[in-house]
Amino acid sequence: MRIKADTRLCVGSGQCVLTEPAVFDQDDDGIVALLTDHPDDQSAAQAHHAVTLCPSRALSIL
Amino acid sequence: MTKGVTGELAGLELPVERGCPFAPPAAYEQLREQAPINKVRLASGGEAWWVSGHEEARTVLVDGRFSSDKRKDGFPLFTLDAATLQQLRSQPPLMLGMDGAEHSAARRPVIGEFTVKRLAALRPRIQAIVDRFIDDLLAADQRPVDLVQALSLPVPSLVICELLGVPYTDHDFFQSRTTMMVRRTSLEDRRRAFAELRAYIDDLITRKESEPSDDLFGRQIARQRQEGTLDHAGLVSLAFLLLTAGHETTANMISLGVVGLLTHPEQLALIKADPDRTPMAVEELLRYFTIADGVTSRLATEDVEIGGVSIKAGEGVIVSALSANWDPAAFKDPTDLDVERGARHHLAFGFGPHQCLGQNLARMELQIVFDTLFRRIPALRLAVPVDDLPFKSDAVIYGAHELPVTW
Ligand code: HEM
Ligand code: SF4
């Protein structure tokens, strides 16, 4: 599984960070920052869930 | 709630005030069962699309062809009266009413203030605020106590003081005026409180412009100076937006959350037994009550095919977050309050680029309040039968006017 984050679309809701903090972070300006773009098996399901929760469709699975 | 909407295609008269305090109006369900998107007639005249399916609601709210600009002709303004609309038209637009690049330019500079990390640093301060009001509650020499006045309103007001950097000596002033603004007092009293607060905030921002401070506005001022665009009026408006968007909403959700838990003792027992369940309980209470229904209204700026209907440019679209949050296609047994549901895809904070800026602050406040209240006053109970509670059944933001409790 590979995750992509489009920082231009991100609106800083923090939904992804709440859902899977092992994969998603926010920089000081509140914009999404990926901690890894290859979530391990343990994080995969939650990372997938975060993609569906993102309100600005900034996250996608490649 | 969404007063004055009548079903047209559906041929329904919608009694859209919440009848049962714990459920959407029955007509919502009938409309949703007919179609995820219906045409309805507005009491104010004209028609609008009524979006009640969860999937369709999300689809509309992420689609940039729908505008949030309430000043545009044809915007379905059923929740605003003429006076508010005029006020809205006479003032510079807030991010809430902006679209596209303009919205992004207004929101982006502020989102760093609301990151999960930055808010975590605020947690001890919020805990101290909550503890202080519960100390006062426990010391009260009279019961029952109205929880709305004693806890629900003051906690978010003081949290906004923290956010705006209101000095401690002004907290009492700030809290009394913010409470006055949302009380069932005369319009004149509310106007005066509004004017006093506006003047206060204007002065506060002016002071922060001359003395650098390490808080939200201090940082906004520094950022704007760096870019060479200090916008005093814009900062005052931003402060007011945070106050009006974040105070009454959180207060109402505190009151309703307490009512929801007290009337579902088996659910309350679950979070008392394990406070790790509280964050999910908060999500469920947000879904269950969806206090800001219909604020997610939009105007189509182009023709759009969605959910089997063709919406034409210039037509109004009312996204009912409440109906979407009770859509059985998205939430199993939606009528059950189930703190273990574990569902975060509700639309209580909206969806799309305008999704609530303060959502993670609100979440934290609610978690701290529920945990602390039921830990410190485990015998808390309603002092009147639930049917006697005065709910804000016809207000834009749902809540309770009063909440007499005892223990
Ligand atoms: C339980 C409490 C709250 C609820 C239910 C709530 C609900 C909402 C909803 C539904 C929207 C979206 C409106 C739209 O799509 O047009 C919104 C936007 C907003 N909220 Fe909240 N809110 C709450 C608390 C707060 C707090 C505590 C703050 C800040 C201190 C806040 C600040 C904002 C702002 C600034 C916006 C506009 C965002 C934008 O337009 O980009 N809210 N809120
Ligand atoms: S959920 Fe989406 S909008 Fe929110 S912070 Fe993550 S990437 Fe950004």
Side-chain angles (χ1 to χ4, degrees):
Chain A
M1 175 193 217
R2 234 191 100 209
I3 301 252
K4 195 177 144 254
D6 186 335
T7 52
R8 289 163 311 169
L9 287 178
C10 173
V11 295
S13 69
Q15 295 271 31
C16 54
V17 185
L18 280 186
T19 307
E20 187 41 281
V23 175
F24 304 99
D25 196 3
Q26 282 168 285
D27 67 16
D28 287 344
D29 291 332
I31 301 297
V32 62
L34 291 180
L35 297 173
T36 165
D37 58 3
H38 281 94
D40 60 20
D41 290 351
Q42 230 185 338
S43 301
Q46 280 301 87
H48 189 274
H49 188 41
V51 171
T52 68
L53 286 177
C54 172
S56 63
R57 307 264 198 249
L59 303 175
S60 47
I61 293 172
L62 299 182
Chain B
M1 283 304 315
T2 47
K3 225 180 187 169
V5 184
T6 46
E8 194 182 71
L9 298 184
L12 282 174
E13 282 287 317
L14 295 193
V16 283
E17 287 193 15
R18 297 198 195 205
C20 166
F22 298 114
Y28 277 28
E29 195 176 328
Q30 291 163 10
L31 275 180
R32 193 193 321 102
E33 275 170 8
Q34 283 185 3
I37 306 184
N38 286 293
K39 200 60 154 311
V40 294
R41 206 169 46 235
L42 303 175
S44 57
E47 296 174 344
W49 295 97
W50 175 260
V51 183
S52 43
H54 182 267
E55 191 45 46
E56 291 75 13
R58 293 217 287 197
T59 307
V60 169
L61 292 175
V62 291
D63 190 324
R65 292 171 294 177
F66 294 101
S67 168
S68 283
D69 188 349
K70 295 172 187 58
R71 302 170 305 164
K72 284 200 171 109
D73 283 339
F75 198 97
L77 275 170
F78 64 106
T79 55
L80 288 180
D81 54 68
T84 319
L85 179 59
Q86 211 184 3
Q87 195 182 22
L88 203 77
R89 291 209 159 129
S90 66
Q91 280 166 7
L94 300 165
M95 75 172 88
L96 201 52
M98 293 176 178
D99 298 322
E102 192 194 13
H103 170 256
S104 180
R107 176 163 169 139
R108 283 228 157 190
V110 205
I111 55 184
E113 299 292 337
F114 292 89
T115 60
V116 174
K117 250 184 302 188
R118 200 185 275 280
L119 292 174
L122 215 63
R123 182 175 271 275
R125 309 285 286 271
I126 299 179
Q127 181 69 55
I129 290 169
V130 172
D131 271 316
R132 198 190 105 201
F133 286 105
I134 294 180
D135 289 344
D136 292 350
L137 255 184
L138 285 166
D141 42 17
Q142 254 184 353
R143 285 182 222 160
V145 176
D146 176 13
L147 205 72
V148 172
Q149 297 298 326
L151 192 73
S152 310
L153 284 170
V155 166
S157 172
L158 285 196
V159 169
I160 289 170
C161 280
E162 291 286 330
L163 213 59
L164 303 189
V166 171
Y168 184 75
T169 46
D170 297 337
H171 282 190
D172 284 347
F173 165 83
F174 193 85
Q175 198 203 308
S176 74
R177 299 312 187 276
T178 48
T179 299
M180 182 77 83
M181 246 169 62
V182 299
R183 273 224 338 238
R184 266 199 297 190
T185 51
S186 68
L187 190 62
E188 199 188 320
D189 278 354
R190 272 182 281 147
R191 285 226 173 102
R192 182 152 22 90
F194 181 90
E196 285 178 5
L197 264 177
R198 182 128 203 141
Y200 177 82
I201 288 178
D202 198 321
D203 182 54
L204 180 73
I205 304 283
T206 305
R207 274 184 279 154
K208 288 184 186 296
E209 282 161 4
S210 56
E211 301 157 33
S213 56
D214 188 24
D215 54 28
L216 192 157
F217 283 95
R219 287 185 287 269
Q220 294 300 311
I221 291 163
R223 177 195 282 261
Q224 292 194 356
R225 283 234 167 87
Q226 221 168 22
E227 290 161 3
T229 57
L230 187 64
D231 174 11
H232 177 81
L235 290 171
V236 175
S237 296
L238 173 63
F240 239 83
L241 173 64
L242 297 179
L243 170 62
T244 48
H247 181 227
E248 197 185 358
T249 45
T250 313
N252 288 357
M253 207 45 231
I254 291 175
S255 303
L256 291 175
V258 170
V259 176
L261 292 169
L262 288 177
T263 53
H264 294 79
E266 73 298 341
Q267 300 294 315
L268 177 56
L270 286 169
I271 67 167
K272 275 184 177 172
D274 181 4
D276 283 350
R277 292 194 176 106
T278 308
M280 272 307 164
V282 165
E283 297 305 317
E284 176 65 350
L285 290 163
L286 285 162
R287 178 197 72 83
Y288 188 73
F289 288 110
T290 315
I291 59 169
D293 185 26
V295 303
T296 39
S297 295
R298 302 289 187 261
L299 183 79
T301 59
E302 291 174 36
D303 295 353
V304 182
E305 296 282 327
I306 235 164
V309 301
S310 332
I311 299 177
K312 297 271 175 295
E315 290 181 339
V317 180
I318 300 166
V319 176
S320 172
L322 175 59
S323 188
N325 281 345
W326 282 58
D327 181 353
F331 302 93
K332 191 170 166 287
D333 301 325
T335 54
D336 293 349
L337 177 73
D338 174 5
V339 300
E340 294 188 293
R341 182 184 296 278
R344 296 253 324 275
H345 58 289
H346 62 75
L347 307 182
F349 290 121
F351 201 68
H354 291 276
Q355 192 182 56
C356 183
L357 179 68
Q359 58 182 293
N360 295 317
L361 178 60
R363 284 189 169 99
M364 191 161 69
E365 288 182 64
L366 294 168
Q367 289 168 17
I368 294 175
V369 166
F370 299 145
D371 272 343
T372 313
L373 182 65
F374 292 110
R375 174 169 48 76
R376 295 192 55 194
I377 317 183
L380 191 81
R381 58 188 164 84
L382 295 179
V384 299
V386 67
D387 291 338
D388 293 350
L389 288 174
F391 288 100
K392 302 183 178 180
S393 52
D394 60 350
V396 177
I397 307 292
Y398 188 50
H401 290 290
E402 265 171 56
L403 181 50
V405 292
T406 191
W407 56 91

